Amino acid sequence: MAERILRKPAGASRLVFALVCGWLTLLLVVPLLALVGAVVQDRSEVLRTLLSAEARNALLLTLGVALACIACNGVFGVAGALVLVRQRFWLRRVLDALIDMPLALSPVMTGLAFLLVFGRSGVLRPVLDGLGVEIAFAWPSVLLATLFVTLPFTLREVALVLEEVGDSEEQAAATLGASPWQTFWRITLPNLRGGLIIGTTLTTARALGEFGAVLVVGGSIANRTQTATTFIHAAIEERQEPAAFGMALILAAAAILLLLFMQGLDPTQKRSPAHGD
Amino acid sequence: MKGSLLLRAGVSAWVTAFVALPLLVLVVRGLEGGPAAFWEAVSGPAVRDAVGLSLWTAGLATAVNAVVGTCIAWVLVRWDVPGRRVIAALVDLPLAIPTLVAGMLILALLGPQAPLGRLLDQAGLQVAFARPGIVLALLFVTLPFVVRAVEPVLEELDPAEEEAATTLGARPVQTFLRVLLPPVLPAVAAGAVQTFARSVAEFGSLAAVSGNIPFKTLVAPVYVLGEVEAGNTAGAASVSLVLLALALTLQPLAHVLARRAGGGRG
């Protein structure tokens, strides 16, 4: 759509503009500044707690889990989008509905569901005991829960792009004698780049910030299953406010960087997870 | 052809293992005690109070954000205002910020240790660890939904109609209420349903700011956490099913409304 000529606000609309700016400032900007202020005020204590082994291990676990989620969701997102957009079969609608479930569930319920599968009295307990694998209250549970909550993002973004580009280029490649693999690597995947970048950004943001599910299923054990967010939670409970604020500022800064990256992308590619159909 | 079948099987297995299996176990565990045990788990005074609190705070946040979100979308789409890009970025901020961190932002500003929080406390208005804090956190985390639902629909409306109304002497507010609002109402409703669903499910920010006091500031998802920590996973699963049923009614409703609203790729 052509860029529309926008008018300068006048009269009552100027008032609405002022109210919108005031609201956004009070709700978003001022609390952010307050967080920065709280960290600056207690900087030596914040620095000391953030340099502790617990904080470092929490950040490392969060980063590792986020990277694993990016990789898994990249592969699954492309595969899943190809199946959902290109294939027609009786299970398709069921899969389509299931993929959105992580967005509908409260994170605590996600954690509980995984606990009921992998936990002490979980349904897979006999199998896991037989294999000698520990999942609940160990790092794999953190990974599994985060994979669950980030499942839809890459897939949905890739699917949108896939629907838009259609398959004429691929048919042309096949007609010209390209093998399915060649077509995939040279045509399909490059076409999906935009969707993959946005989906990966959304996945990263969610993986870095997931809290409820990893708290329930991981148990927030320091140096073992504690992530950046559950570190904050533990710090609040122990009344270690500087540690909580410091870690919160790190996560907020990461979120803002990801947001700025998204804003910098080509506006025609820009989409938000709140996007409907 | 063999490749595509393999792909289909792989994707189906992945979704089954990651989504269907945990959900199925949650449902089975929530119902396995029979109807009496289920009813007992979901009808106790503490549960009813927590669910009630979740519902009314979510309703309040939804009402406010329906109005505010529509106004923000209108400003973003229609007016040449300074800092439009900044406003657009700010609206997306709650989607990027972890919800627990959103709670920490509110604590940093209005918590018991913060200067402003202390000041308000002395004036008799407690925000953190009280109900106003819950509503504030919900307003923060659900800010983008109505804006993002309304924006594409508003963009597709012909501004000529508004201009005609203005030329015929309508004031901006009249134009907004009579010409602009009726066609975007389904989009507002779609965004509002998403806002409500998210508010009822919200956990991270509320775990930080609500204080989690039973019968006062304990919301439903935090109640579920408490039951899990107390070892009552069956009861927690039962209450989860009630929340799940609500989410599963709201999600298709949001989809239907979004489709009716059109806009975007509609």
Side-chain angles (χ1 to χ4, degrees):
Chain A
M1 162 170 296
E3 191 59 33
R4 169 174 294 157
I5 300 154
L6 298 173
R7 284 176 300 156
K8 298 271 180 208
S13 48
R14 204 179 282 163
L15 184 70
V16 175
F17 172 58
L19 286 175
V20 162
C21 288
W23 180 266
L24 291 176
T25 308
L26 281 180
L27 191 68
L28 304 172
V29 180
V30 172
L32 259 177
L33 294 177
L35 179 66
V36 175
V39 169
V40 170
Q41 199 179 18
D42 259 342
R43 57 191 171 278
S44 57
E45 185 62 14
V46 168
L47 217 58
R48 195 185 63 75
T49 48
L50 287 185
L51 289 173
S52 69
E54 280 107 76
R56 206 175 47 232
N57 286 327
L59 271 174
L60 281 177
L61 179 61
T62 295
L63 276 179
V65 164
L67 286 175
C69 283
I70 291 169
C72 289
N73 280 324
V75 175
F76 170 75
V78 172
L82 280 171
V83 169
L84 285 185
V85 174
R86 296 269 170 88
Q87 300 191 10
R88 289 288 170 270
F89 55 106
W90 61 277
L91 252 179
R92 202 193 73 94
R93 292 183 68 97
V94 181
L95 287 183
D96 198 41
L98 279 174
I99 282 160
D100 278 338
M101 287 303 301
L103 298 177
L105 241 59
S106 179
V108 185
M109 285 151 59
T110 302
L112 174 60
F114 275 83
L115 209 56
L116 294 174
V117 175
F118 298 112
R120 216 177 308 140
S121 52
V123 290
L124 286 186
R125 195 67 210 178
V127 184
L128 296 173
D129 278 345
L131 293 171
V133 187
E134 202 60 60
I135 290 188
F137 307 115
W139 67 264
S141 68
V142 177
L143 176 61
L144 290 177
T146 314
L147 269 176
F148 177 92
V149 297
T150 56
L151 188 88
F153 296 121
T154 306
L155 192 152
R156 290 293 177 211
E157 293 300 331
V158 171
L160 281 176
V161 178
L162 206 55
E163 265 163 21
E164 261 165 37
V165 296
D167 64 352
S168 51
E169 285 181 41
E170 277 133 329
Q171 280 173 3
T175 314
L176 294 172
S179 73
W181 271 117
Q182 282 178 318
T183 314
F184 176 77
W185 287 107
R186 303 240 184 115
I187 310 282
T188 315
L189 205 56
N191 276 344
L192 297 179
R193 231 184 101 232
L196 268 174
I197 292 174
I198 301 172
T200 301
T201 314
L202 297 173
T203 301
T204 313
R206 186 62 204 263
L208 293 179
E210 178 48 35
F211 168 55
V214 299
L215 174 69
V216 172
V217 88
S220 184
I221 306 162
N223 298 319
R224 286 190 54 212
T225 61
Q226 203 163 65
T227 62
T229 51
T230 50
F231 174 89
I232 295 174
H233 182 68
I236 304 173
E237 304 240 296
E238 289 159 20
R239 305 200 162 274
Q240 298 268 335
E241 290 209 326
F245 285 142
M247 189 62 91
L249 187 62
I250 292 179
L251 287 180
I256 290 171
L257 283 179
L258 287 169
L259 185 67
L260 290 176
F261 172 71
M262 288 262 293
Q263 297 283 327
L265 292 174
D266 180 1
T268 55
Q269 295 181 342
K270 208 161 53 192
R271 266 178 216 107
S272 62
H275 200 282
D277 262 357
Chain B
M1 216 49 229
K2 223 169 85 190
S4 71
L5 276 179
L6 208 65
L7 198 64
R8 185 188 298 180
V11 168
S12 306
W14 181 270
V15 174
T16 309
F18 265 98
V19 188
L21 175 70
L23 279 177
L24 189 70
V25 173
L26 185 70
V27 172
V28 169
R29 188 89 175 120
L31 297 174
E32 77 186 350
F38 179 82
W39 182 246
E40 202 190 311
V42 301
S43 66
V47 190
R48 279 215 303 257
D49 195 83
V51 173
L53 178 64
S54 278
L55 290 178
W56 79 252
T57 50
L60 186 57
T62 304
V64 173
N65 268 346
V67 176
V68 173
T70 309
C71 290
I72 295 177
W74 188 55
V75 167
L76 280 177
V77 172
R78 278 292 185 272
W79 299 103
D80 175 25
V81 290
R84 268 182 75 224
R85 283 182 65 98
V86 179
I87 296 177
L90 274 178
V91 169
D92 275 340
L93 187 68
L95 294 174
I97 292 240
T99 87
L100 177 66
V101 174
M104 294 306 296
L105 292 179
I106 292 170
L107 281 188
L109 181 66
L110 298 165
Q113 314 285 329
L116 187 59
R118 265 201 303 259
L119 210 68
L120 286 177
D121 213 11
Q122 279 161 7
L125 178 67
Q126 200 193 350
V127 179
F129 312 135
R131 287 164 178 180
I134 298 176
V135 178
L136 194 61
L138 292 179
L139 286 175
F140 184 109
V141 298
T142 61
L143 175 78
F145 293 118
V146 172
V147 183
R148 292 300 172 221
V150 172
E151 230 186 330
V153 179
L154 214 49
E155 246 162 25
E156 301 223 325
L157 284 184
D158 191 354
E161 282 184 36
E162 291 152 52
E163 270 152 34
T166 312
T167 316
L168 293 171
R171 286 176 306 145
V173 176
Q174 281 178 316
T175 313
F176 177 79
L177 288 177
R178 299 266 186 89
V179 181
L180 239 149
L181 201 54
V184 298
L185 265 182
V188 176
V193 172
Q194 278 184 313
T195 303
F196 188 80
R198 173 62 200 267
S199 298
V200 174
E202 177 56 20
F203 172 68
S205 62
L206 301 185
V209 302
S210 76
N212 314 322
I213 309 157
F215 295 104
K216 278 183 76 183
T217 62
L218 188 71
V219 293
V222 183
Y223 173 87
V224 173
L225 175 73
E227 291 303 290
V228 174
E229 288 184 336
N232 180 17
T233 48
S238 300
V239 179
S240 295
L241 288 189
V242 175
L243 297 177
L244 184 64
L246 182 67
L248 289 185
T249 346
L250 292 175
Q251 209 180 31
L253 184 64
H255 266 271
V256 170
L257 285 167
R259 197 161 301 151
R260 270 195 54 191
R265 63 204 66 243

